[in-house]
Amino acid sequence: MKTIQFANVEDQYRKYAGELRATDVQKLGEWVKGQPHLPPVTELELILFLHSNYYDLEAAQRTIECYYTFRTSCKNLFGNRNLDKDAILMAMDVLDLAILPELTPEGYRVMLAKIVDPDASKFSLSSLLTLALMCVDIQLWEEGCNNGSILIIDMDGIHLGHLPKLGIFTLKDLLYFIQEGLPIRLKGLHLANVVPFIDRIMTMIRPFMKKELLEMLHLHTKMHTLFPYIPQHLLPSDYGDNLYNYTISCGDHLARYDQDKRVVESKRLAKPRTMGNFFGLL
């Protein structure tokens, strides 16, 4: 098993000198220590939370609260992160995933996802998203901060047989985590080669998307209309295996992280969080 090469903290301070201040990171760390239900948070993690919220301390606190609580309680996305499980191994065969090695001219990191096995009987949305989020975890820890992130979903390969398998609760969980808990600066969400029934999908997900996310969502009937946002030369002709192999090699660390970074609700000072009040239902 490989050892994850965590981003160097001093490099983060140098890269964002003048904006990222050690005093703010220290204040955020002191706040975390005052929340007995939260797990220990490393300096690198504190930097990621602060940077992703444009150095707003209160916003970073909310993201930290969501990140660890949601990862602890959301079984759809974080309940089966065993890389040896058949469901995850099948997800690797169904989904091609790439985190592009080169940044866009604006300094944005790009993730590209595509269904490559159209057999709907093999399609498990929760397993695909669980796999993708494990890959994102490692990318965040090893790269550290960047100017922003762009997600491209190539819908070629998706057909009506997949529609009943787009579980609304899993989609809701994903959209909540992306908007409230994931410590990245999301700059764009692109759906390419959109399917004829995209309106039905949008009807499902639109209620869970904030205005800001809707404004950065772009639908493309073909791939070439992506190029004003992501230069064509950045996009690979094939991808997936190397990323998955590396993720598998980091499996022990992922398992330890999931075990160590759990919220203890019995120690929470405020009202316990549930999946209901996450979404304002209680």
Side-chain angles (χ1 to χ4, degrees):
M1 288 289 178
K2 290 185 180 294
T3 300
I4 291 177
Q5 301 299 311
F6 289 95
N8 183 276
V9 167
E10 295 306 319
D11 288 344
Q12 306 303 300
Y13 286 115
R14 282 192 292 270
K15 185 176 179 181
Y16 295 98
E19 297 177 295
L20 177 62
R21 295 190 293 268
T23 53
D24 287 340
V25 175
Q26 182 179 2
K27 288 178 185 176
L28 190 58
E30 290 170 353
W31 175 84
V32 169
K33 291 176 182 177
Q35 309 299 313
H37 64 292
L38 289 176
V41 181
T42 67
E43 187 174 7
L44 175 61
E45 290 173 312
L46 293 170
I47 289 171
L48 284 165
F49 288 119
L50 196 57
H51 171 80
S52 66
N53 283 285
Y54 300 89
Y55 312 108
D56 182 322
L57 276 167
E58 290 188 4
Q61 290 171 5
R62 291 193 294 270
T63 302
I64 289 172
E65 176 62 49
C66 172
Y67 180 84
Y68 293 108
T69 302
F70 199 69
R71 289 176 69 107
T72 301
S73 61
C74 179
K75 304 307 180 187
N76 273 340
L77 304 181
F78 299 100
N80 182 23
R81 284 166 49 102
N82 184 338
L83 286 159
D84 295 325
K85 289 287 187 181
D86 289 344
I88 298 298
L89 294 173
M90 184 177 291
M92 293 180 184
D93 292 332
V94 171
L95 180 73
D96 263 5
L97 189 68
I99 298 173
L100 305 190
E102 188 176 344
L103 300 173
T104 69
E106 300 83 5
Y108 300 159
R109 179 65 64 198
V110 179
M111 172 178 274
L112 178 60
K114 179 182 179 180
I115 298 297
V116 291
D117 187 336
D119 185 349
S121 69
K122 300 177 182 178
F123 183 91
S124 167
L125 182 62
S126 61
S127 296
L128 297 179
L129 296 177
T130 296
L131 171 62
L133 287 170
M134 285 191 281
C135 295
V136 169
D137 281 348
I138 296 170
Q139 176 68 27
L140 279 172
W141 298 329
E142 295 202 331
E143 180 177 14
C145 304
N146 57 42
N147 292 349
S149 297
I150 294 174
L151 173 61
I152 304 170
I153 300 174
D154 183 351
M155 302 188 77
D156 185 32
I158 296 177
H159 52 78
L160 275 171
H162 291 106
L163 191 59
K165 297 204 164 190
L166 298 178
I168 192 167
F169 293 109
T170 302
L171 289 170
K172 179 175 70 171
D173 289 345
L174 174 68
L175 289 167
Y176 179 80
F177 186 65
I178 287 175
Q179 294 174 99
E180 305 295 340
L182 193 58
I184 64 172
R185 294 181 175 183
L186 188 62
K187 295 294 186 178
L189 174 58
H190 297 265
L191 304 183
N193 294 317
V194 293
V195 291
F197 50 92
I198 186 63
D199 288 348
R200 295 169 68 177
I201 297 175
M202 289 304 303
T203 298
M204 293 172 63
I205 65 176
R206 188 176 284 110
F208 310 118
M209 300 176 70
K210 289 185 173 181
K211 177 175 178 286
E212 294 82 0
L213 184 57
L214 282 168
E215 288 176 348
M216 67 178 70
L217 172 64
H218 302 275
L219 306 182
H220 307 268
T221 56
K222 301 293 183 182
M223 287 294 288
H224 67 84
T225 57
L226 269 172
F227 302 152
Y229 302 94
I230 300 97
Q232 183 177 5
H233 74 271
L234 297 185
L235 301 176
S237 56
D238 54 70
Y239 42 89
D241 288 346
N242 290 337
L243 178 61
Y244 292 158
N245 289 338
Y246 188 68
T247 301
I248 290 170
S249 73
C250 298
D252 285 351
H253 182 91
L254 286 163
R256 286 195 301 272
Y257 187 88
D258 290 344
Q259 182 64 37
D260 296 342
K261 301 286 187 169
R262 299 185 67 81
V263 162
V264 181
E265 288 296 348
S266 62
K267 295 183 179 181
R268 187 186 293 273
L269 300 177
K271 178 182 178 182
R273 301 288 284 179
T274 67
M275 291 304 291
N277 61 34
F278 263 130
F279 295 102
L281 302 178
L282 299 175

PDB file of all heavy atoms in Angstrom, residues 25-47:
ATOM      1  N   VAL A  25      -5.820  30.602  10.282  1.00  0.00           N
ATOM      2  CA  VAL A  25      -5.799  29.142  10.394  1.00  0.00           C
ATOM      3  C   VAL A  25      -5.783  28.743  11.866  1.00  0.00           C
ATOM      4  O   VAL A  25      -6.486  27.808  12.287  1.00  0.00           O
ATOM      5  CB  VAL A  25      -4.597  28.548   9.646  1.00  0.00           C
ATOM      6  CG1 VAL A  25      -4.506  27.040   9.862  1.00  0.00           C
ATOM      7  CG2 VAL A  25      -4.694  28.863   8.150  1.00  0.00           C
ATOM      8  N   GLN A  26      -4.999  29.470  12.668  1.00  0.00           N
ATOM      9  CA  GLN A  26      -4.930  29.182  14.102  1.00  0.00           C
ATOM     10  C   GLN A  26      -6.281  29.419  14.774  1.00  0.00           C
ATOM     11  O   GLN A  26      -6.730  28.601  15.589  1.00  0.00           O
ATOM     12  CB  GLN A  26      -3.859  30.049  14.765  1.00  0.00           C
ATOM     13  CG  GLN A  26      -3.685  29.762  16.250  1.00  0.00           C
ATOM     14  CD  GLN A  26      -2.601  30.622  16.882  1.00  0.00           C
ATOM     15  OE1 GLN A  26      -1.989  31.457  16.228  1.00  0.00           O
ATOM     16  NE2 GLN A  26      -2.357  30.409  18.162  1.00  0.00           N
ATOM     17  N   LYS A  27      -6.952  30.513  14.423  1.00  0.00           N
ATOM     18  CA  LYS A  27      -8.278  30.787  14.991  1.00  0.00           C
ATOM     19  C   LYS A  27      -9.270  29.686  14.642  1.00  0.00           C
ATOM     20  O   LYS A  27     -10.062  29.260  15.490  1.00  0.00           O
ATOM     21  CB  LYS A  27      -8.800  32.126  14.465  1.00  0.00           C
ATOM     22  CG  LYS A  27      -8.109  33.350  15.022  1.00  0.00           C
ATOM     23  CD  LYS A  27      -8.675  34.623  14.378  1.00  0.00           C
ATOM     24  CE  LYS A  27      -7.921  35.854  14.835  1.00  0.00           C
ATOM     25  NZ  LYS A  27      -8.412  37.073  14.140  1.00  0.00           N
ATOM     26  N   LEU A  28      -9.205  29.228  13.403  1.00  0.00           N
ATOM     27  CA  LEU A  28     -10.107  28.173  12.976  1.00  0.00           C
ATOM     28  C   LEU A  28      -9.807  26.881  13.733  1.00  0.00           C
ATOM     29  O   LEU A  28     -10.727  26.164  14.158  1.00  0.00           O
ATOM     30  CB  LEU A  28      -9.971  27.956  11.471  1.00  0.00           C
ATOM     31  CG  LEU A  28     -11.008  27.046  10.800  1.00  0.00           C
ATOM     32  CD1 LEU A  28     -12.427  27.558  11.012  1.00  0.00           C
ATOM     33  CD2 LEU A  28     -10.714  26.905   9.300  1.00  0.00           C
ATOM     34  N   GLY A  29      -8.525  26.599  13.927  1.00  0.00           N
ATOM     35  CA  GLY A  29      -8.140  25.409  14.683  1.00  0.00           C
ATOM     36  C   GLY A  29      -8.605  25.470  16.131  1.00  0.00           C
ATOM     37  O   GLY A  29      -9.036  24.460  16.696  1.00  0.00           O
ATOM     38  N   GLU A  30      -8.537  26.657  16.731  1.00  0.00           N
ATOM     39  CA  GLU A  30      -9.006  26.817  18.112  1.00  0.00           C
ATOM     40  C   GLU A  30     -10.512  26.608  18.198  1.00  0.00           C
ATOM     41  O   GLU A  30     -11.013  26.033  19.175  1.00  0.00           O
ATOM     42  CB  GLU A  30      -8.621  28.207  18.621  1.00  0.00           C
ATOM     43  CG  GLU A  30      -7.120  28.361  18.850  1.00  0.00           C
ATOM     44  CD  GLU A  30      -6.705  29.795  19.120  1.00  0.00           C
ATOM     45  OE1 GLU A  30      -7.579  30.690  19.004  1.00  0.00           O
ATOM     46  OE2 GLU A  30      -5.520  30.022  19.436  1.00  0.00           O
ATOM     47  N   TRP A  31     -11.227  27.079  17.177  1.00  0.00           N
ATOM     48  CA  TRP A  31     -12.677  26.858  17.155  1.00  0.00           C
ATOM     49  C   TRP A  31     -12.990  25.364  17.097  1.00  0.00           C
ATOM     50  O   TRP A  31     -13.878  24.881  17.806  1.00  0.00           O
ATOM     51  CB  TRP A  31     -13.299  27.578  15.963  1.00  0.00           C
ATOM     52  CG  TRP A  31     -14.769  27.285  15.811  1.00  0.00           C
ATOM     53  CD1 TRP A  31     -15.802  27.897  16.457  1.00  0.00           C
ATOM     54  CD2 TRP A  31     -15.350  26.271  14.974  1.00  0.00           C
ATOM     55  NE1 TRP A  31     -16.998  27.333  16.084  1.00  0.00           N
ATOM     56  CE2 TRP A  31     -16.751  26.333  15.178  1.00  0.00           C
ATOM     57  CE3 TRP A  31     -14.833  25.332  14.091  1.00  0.00           C
ATOM     58  CZ2 TRP A  31     -17.636  25.481  14.509  1.00  0.00           C
ATOM     59  CZ3 TRP A  31     -15.702  24.480  13.430  1.00  0.00           C
ATOM     60  CH2 TRP A  31     -17.096  24.550  13.640  1.00  0.00           C
ATOM     61  N   VAL A  32     -12.257  24.628  16.251  1.00  0.00           N
ATOM     62  CA  VAL A  32     -12.468  23.184  16.138  1.00  0.00           C
ATOM     63  C   VAL A  32     -12.247  22.509  17.489  1.00  0.00           C
ATOM     64  O   VAL A  32     -13.050  21.654  17.918  1.00  0.00           O
ATOM     65  CB  VAL A  32     -11.540  22.570  15.067  1.00  0.00           C
ATOM     66  CG1 VAL A  32     -11.565  21.047  15.145  1.00  0.00           C
ATOM     67  CG2 VAL A  32     -11.939  23.028  13.675  1.00  0.00           C
ATOM     68  N   LYS A  33     -11.191  22.879  18.182  1.00  0.00           N
ATOM     69  CA  LYS A  33     -10.891  22.268  19.477  1.00  0.00           C
ATOM     70  C   LYS A  33     -11.977  22.548  20.506  1.00  0.00           C
ATOM     71  O   LYS A  33     -12.152  21.784  21.458  1.00  0.00           O
ATOM     72  CB  LYS A  33      -9.538  22.779  19.993  1.00  0.00           C
ATOM     73  CG  LYS A  33      -8.355  22.268  19.179  1.00  0.00           C
ATOM     74  CD  LYS A  33      -7.044  22.871  19.663  1.00  0.00           C
ATOM     75  CE  LYS A  33      -5.876  22.398  18.805  1.00  0.00           C
ATOM     76  NZ  LYS A  33      -4.592  23.033  19.203  1.00  0.00           N
ATOM     77  N   GLY A  34     -12.723  23.625  20.299  1.00  0.00           N
ATOM     78  CA  GLY A  34     -13.826  23.960  21.198  1.00  0.00           C
ATOM     79  C   GLY A  34     -15.118  23.249  20.872  1.00  0.00           C
ATOM     80  O   GLY A  34     -16.131  23.474  21.547  1.00  0.00           O
ATOM     81  N   GLN A  35     -15.095  22.409  19.837  1.00  0.00           N
ATOM     82  CA  GLN A  35     -16.268  21.623  19.448  1.00  0.00           C
ATOM     83  C   GLN A  35     -15.974  20.155  19.760  1.00  0.00           C
ATOM     84  O   GLN A  35     -15.379  19.461  18.950  1.00  0.00           O
ATOM     85  CB  GLN A  35     -16.563  21.799  17.951  1.00  0.00           C
ATOM     86  CG  GLN A  35     -16.627  23.248  17.480  1.00  0.00           C
ATOM     87  CD  GLN A  35     -17.723  24.028  18.177  1.00  0.00           C
ATOM     88  OE1 GLN A  35     -18.854  23.569  18.279  1.00  0.00           O
ATOM     89  NE2 GLN A  35     -17.380  25.203  18.661  1.00  0.00           N
ATOM     90  N   PRO A  36     -16.381  19.676  20.945  1.00  0.00           N
ATOM     91  CA  PRO A  36     -15.941  18.338  21.386  1.00  0.00           C
ATOM     92  C   PRO A  36     -16.435  17.194  20.521  1.00  0.00           C
ATOM     93  O   PRO A  36     -15.867  16.096  20.565  1.00  0.00           O
ATOM     94  CB  PRO A  36     -16.512  18.239  22.811  1.00  0.00           C
ATOM     95  CG  PRO A  36     -17.626  19.246  22.866  1.00  0.00           C
ATOM     96  CD  PRO A  36     -17.202  20.356  21.960  1.00  0.00           C
ATOM     97  N   HIS A  37     -17.465  17.435  19.706  1.00  0.00           N
ATOM     98  CA  HIS A  37     -17.983  16.356  18.862  1.00  0.00           C
ATOM     99  C   HIS A  37     -17.168  16.164  17.592  1.00  0.00           C
ATOM    100  O   HIS A  37     -17.270  15.126  16.939  1.00  0.00           O
ATOM    101  CB  HIS A  37     -19.443  16.639  18.471  1.00  0.00           C
ATOM    102  CG  HIS A  37     -19.618  17.862  17.636  1.00  0.00           C
ATOM    103  ND1 HIS A  37     -19.408  19.138  18.130  1.00  0.00           N
ATOM    104  CD2 HIS A  37     -19.970  18.028  16.329  1.00  0.00           C
ATOM    105  CE1 HIS A  37     -19.631  20.022  17.171  1.00  0.00           C
ATOM    106  NE2 HIS A  37     -19.965  19.380  16.065  1.00  0.00           N
ATOM    107  N   LEU A  38     -16.354  17.171  17.236  1.00  0.00           N
ATOM    108  CA  LEU A  38     -15.594  17.092  15.989  1.00  0.00           C
ATOM    109  C   LEU A  38     -14.301  16.305  16.183  1.00  0.00           C
ATOM    110  O   LEU A  38     -13.696  16.343  17.263  1.00  0.00           O
ATOM    111  CB  LEU A  38     -15.265  18.495  15.481  1.00  0.00           C
ATOM    112  CG  LEU A  38     -16.427  19.324  14.934  1.00  0.00           C
ATOM    113  CD1 LEU A  38     -15.948  20.724  14.560  1.00  0.00           C
ATOM    114  CD2 LEU A  38     -17.077  18.647  13.730  1.00  0.00           C
ATOM    115  N   PRO A  39     -13.836  15.624  15.128  1.00  0.00           N
ATOM    116  CA  PRO A  39     -12.551  14.918  15.213  1.00  0.00           C
ATOM    117  C   PRO A  39     -11.395  15.909  15.107  1.00  0.00           C
ATOM    118  O   PRO A  39     -11.606  17.087  14.774  1.00  0.00           O
ATOM    119  CB  PRO A  39     -12.597  14.001  13.987  1.00  0.00           C
ATOM    120  CG  PRO A  39     -13.415  14.763  12.993  1.00  0.00           C
ATOM    121  CD  PRO A  39     -14.473  15.473  13.802  1.00  0.00           C
ATOM    122  N   PRO A  40     -10.167  15.461  15.350  1.00  0.00           N
ATOM    123  CA  PRO A  40      -9.006  16.333  15.116  1.00  0.00           C
ATOM    124  C   PRO A  40      -8.934  16.726  13.641  1.00  0.00           C
ATOM    125  O   PRO A  40      -9.213  15.916  12.757  1.00  0.00           O
ATOM    126  CB  PRO A  40      -7.818  15.456  15.513  1.00  0.00           C
ATOM    127  CG  PRO A  40      -8.394  14.389  16.393  1.00  0.00           C
ATOM    128  CD  PRO A  40      -9.779  14.146  15.900  1.00  0.00           C
ATOM    129  N   VAL A  41      -8.553  17.976  13.375  1.00  0.00           N
ATOM    130  CA  VAL A  41      -8.452  18.497  12.014  1.00  0.00           C
ATOM    131  C   VAL A  41      -7.032  18.993  11.808  1.00  0.00           C
ATOM    132  O   VAL A  41      -6.528  19.809  12.587  1.00  0.00           O
ATOM    133  CB  VAL A  41      -9.466  19.638  11.775  1.00  0.00           C
ATOM    134  CG1 VAL A  41      -9.368  20.158  10.346  1.00  0.00           C
ATOM    135  CG2 VAL A  41     -10.893  19.158  12.066  1.00  0.00           C
ATOM    136  N   THR A  42      -6.369  18.518  10.764  1.00  0.00           N
ATOM    137  CA  THR A  42      -4.980  18.884  10.518  1.00  0.00           C
ATOM    138  C   THR A  42      -4.878  20.313   9.993  1.00  0.00           C
ATOM    139  O   THR A  42      -5.868  20.908   9.540  1.00  0.00           O
ATOM    140  CB  THR A  42      -4.339  17.949   9.489  1.00  0.00           C
ATOM    141  OG1 THR A  42      -4.971  18.151   8.213  1.00  0.00           O
ATOM    142  CG2 THR A  42      -4.482  16.482   9.906  1.00  0.00           C
ATOM    143  N   GLU A  43      -3.678  20.852  10.030  1.00  0.00           N
ATOM    144  CA  GLU A  43      -3.464  22.211   9.515  1.00  0.00           C
ATOM    145  C   GLU A  43      -3.776  22.284   8.025  1.00  0.00           C
ATOM    146  O   GLU A  43      -4.365  23.260   7.557  1.00  0.00           O
ATOM    147  CB  GLU A  43      -2.025  22.655   9.779  1.00  0.00           C
ATOM    148  CG  GLU A  43      -1.781  24.127   9.413  1.00  0.00           C
ATOM    149  CD  GLU A  43      -0.402  24.618   9.813  1.00  0.00           C
ATOM    150  OE1 GLU A  43       0.424  23.777  10.261  1.00  0.00           O
ATOM    151  OE2 GLU A  43      -0.135  25.827   9.676  1.00  0.00           O
ATOM    152  N   LEU A  44      -3.403  21.245   7.275  1.00  0.00           N
ATOM    153  CA  LEU A  44      -3.717  21.234   5.850  1.00  0.00           C
ATOM    154  C   LEU A  44      -5.225  21.268   5.627  1.00  0.00           C
ATOM    155  O   LEU A  44      -5.713  22.003   4.762  1.00  0.00           O
ATOM    156  CB  LEU A  44      -3.118  19.993   5.178  1.00  0.00           C
ATOM    157  CG  LEU A  44      -3.482  19.793   3.700  1.00  0.00           C
ATOM    158  CD1 LEU A  44      -2.995  20.969   2.852  1.00  0.00           C
ATOM    159  CD2 LEU A  44      -2.919  18.477   3.177  1.00  0.00           C
ATOM    160  N   GLU A  45      -5.961  20.486   6.400  1.00  0.00           N
ATOM    161  CA  GLU A  45      -7.417  20.493   6.262  1.00  0.00           C
ATOM    162  C   GLU A  45      -7.992  21.865   6.608  1.00  0.00           C
ATOM    163  O   GLU A  45      -8.893  22.373   5.920  1.00  0.00           O
ATOM    164  CB  GLU A  45      -8.034  19.411   7.146  1.00  0.00           C
ATOM    165  CG  GLU A  45      -7.760  17.999   6.648  1.00  0.00           C
ATOM    166  CD  GLU A  45      -8.226  16.935   7.620  1.00  0.00           C
ATOM    167  OE1 GLU A  45      -7.921  17.052   8.828  1.00  0.00           O
ATOM    168  OE2 GLU A  45      -8.879  15.982   7.186  1.00  0.00           O
ATOM    169  N   LEU A  46      -7.499  22.467   7.653  1.00  0.00           N
ATOM    170  CA  LEU A  46      -7.956  23.813   8.019  1.00  0.00           C
ATOM    171  C   LEU A  46      -7.722  24.792   6.876  1.00  0.00           C
ATOM    172  O   LEU A  46      -8.586  25.628   6.561  1.00  0.00           O
ATOM    173  CB  LEU A  46      -7.228  24.295   9.278  1.00  0.00           C
ATOM    174  CG  LEU A  46      -7.539  23.553  10.582  1.00  0.00           C
ATOM    175  CD1 LEU A  46      -6.568  23.992  11.673  1.00  0.00           C
ATOM    176  CD2 LEU A  46      -8.980  23.792  11.026  1.00  0.00           C
ATOM    177  N   ILE A  47      -6.569  24.678   6.235  1.00  0.00           N
ATOM    178  CA  ILE A  47      -6.245  25.552   5.101  1.00  0.00           C
ATOM    179  C   ILE A  47      -7.223  25.321   3.960  1.00  0.00           C
ATOM    180  O   ILE A  47      -7.720  26.272   3.342  1.00  0.00           O
ATOM    181  CB  ILE A  47      -4.781  25.328   4.655  1.00  0.00           C
ATOM    182  CG1 ILE A  47      -3.826  25.896   5.708  1.00  0.00           C
ATOM    183  CG2 ILE A  47      -4.526  25.946   3.287  1.00  0.00           C
ATOM    184  CD1 ILE A  47      -2.371  25.540   5.466  1.00  0.00           C
TER     185      ILE A  47
END
